[in-house]
Amino acid sequence: MTIRRFEDIEGWQLARELTRQVYAVAMRGVFAKDFGLRDQMTRASGSTMHNIAEGFDGGSNAEFVKYLRYSQRSCSEVQSQLYVALDQSYISQTEFESIYEQAALTHAKVGGFIRYLL
């Protein structure tokens, strides 16, 4: 498959789904009132997809890889923040596991793309 747009990148598609899942839980109930965690977590999830898009226009594989690694770091940040949300009972164990797995899948897919580019 030829990648013509950043939207064609499977890692970006997975990151978009991660962002959708994070927003779904962060914008409801008591979680929505924890402005600090909510904002940090939604920004980190969005960063997973935005860094892929930004790196796509970087002009070189080296520059693209740099941004893909930022995307991976944002996945890890979301995973860490999920523990806070779980510990505060903002999300259920099932929600935690589902979103954590989506972040892990995104991280792995982006990692595979990094290896391909290198």
Side-chain angles (χ1 to χ4, degrees):
M1 175 177 147
T2 302
I3 296 172
R4 298 183 198 284
R5 309 172 322 148
F6 67 82
E7 295 95 329
D8 297 331
I9 300 168
E10 191 173 354
W12 182 86
Q13 295 166 7
L14 293 170
R16 181 181 178 199
E17 176 58 22
L18 172 63
T19 303
R20 188 199 64 72
Q21 288 180 19
V22 166
Y23 270 83
V25 297
M27 297 310 209
R28 67 165 204 248
V30 68
F31 197 164
K33 294 179 177 119
D34 186 336
F35 302 115
L37 181 61
R38 183 198 68 198
D39 289 349
Q40 189 173 9
M41 197 163 168
T42 55
R43 285 177 187 262
S45 67
S47 184
T48 63
M49 58 191 283
H50 304 322
N51 276 306
I52 295 168
E54 188 174 353
F56 182 75
D57 286 330
S60 70
N61 279 359
E63 187 72 5
F64 194 9
V65 166
K66 180 172 87 170
Y67 280 88
L68 291 171
R69 287 186 173 135
Y70 293 153
S71 176
Q72 285 186 303
R73 291 180 189 126
S74 294
C75 287
S76 297
E77 184 178 351
V78 168
Q79 288 174 313
S80 182
Q81 292 161 349
L82 282 167
Y83 282 98
V84 178
L86 180 66
D87 292 346
Q88 296 304 308
S89 300
Y90 295 162
I91 60 175
S92 69
Q93 183 68 37
T94 302
E95 290 168 326
F96 171 89
E97 291 168 5
S98 175
I99 299 169
Y100 191 97
E101 182 56 36
Q102 184 68 31
L105 180 61
T106 304
H107 189 285
K109 186 60 73 172
V110 171
F113 195 41
I114 290 169
R115 286 187 296 282
Y116 168 77
L117 291 172
L118 292 175

